[in-house]
Amino acid sequence: MLALASTLTVPAPYEVQETQQFNRKTVILAAYVSPDGVGHSLLIVRDGAGKTLWKHHLGWKYHLDIEGRSLAVRTLLPNGQTLLRFFDETTGENFGTNRFVDVPKFSPLVAPFRP
């Protein structure tokens, strides 16, 4: 499925970082760094014709985390925890936030590797 050019256009000075298709919509994560060194991310959801349904300003270094029926973004916090924010795909409402320690390769049967 080819995306329309208008579907991938984002407001200046943002640049597209990631895109995914979700329930016949295009989900775009765009970012930029302001002259004062502060990073900004913008989550945009558009319909098949490229019309913006909603957008949500986020902090820095987010990634799309779309699995199954969930539209979410994730970032790594300075303390090593993962922050996962869930959005309603129709309204853009943030309906949930989860913080956790992400240890996908952890097993109590395997000693941790230490260089």
Side-chain angles (χ1 to χ4, degrees):
M1 175 181 199
L2 294 174
L4 299 171
S6 63
T7 304
L8 299 179
T9 303
V10 295
Y14 287 95
E15 293 183 11
V16 174
Q17 301 298 305
E18 294 182 64
T19 62
Q20 287 192 32
Q21 295 299 310
F22 181 70
N23 292 339
R24 291 185 229 129
K25 296 176 180 77
T26 301
V27 180
I28 302 168
L29 186 64
Y32 83 96
V33 177
S34 61
D36 59 358
V38 176
H40 305 271
S41 294
L42 181 64
L43 180 64
I44 303 168
V45 174
R46 295 195 173 135
D47 65 14
K51 178 184 174 200
T52 298
L53 302 173
W54 58 267
K55 57 186 170 185
H56 194 82
H57 294 273
L58 305 167
W60 184 235
K61 295 202 180 211
Y62 276 86
H63 296 284
L64 293 176
D65 194 348
I66 298 175
E67 292 184 23
R69 298 172 51 97
S70 297
L71 171 56
V73 292
R74 113 179 3 234
T75 190
L76 185 63
L77 300 173
N79 65 2
Q81 290 184 334
T82 295
L83 177 67
L84 196 58
R85 298 173 67 186
F86 297 91
F87 294 90
D88 180 286
E89 72 169 283
T90 304
T91 65
E93 179 183 354
N94 181 345
F95 66 83
T97 300
N98 190 7
R99 289 176 189 248
F100 57 92
V101 177
D102 197 2
V103 286
K105 295 181 181 179
F106 173 76
S107 169
L109 303 176
V110 178
F113 173 75
R114 296 179 197 227

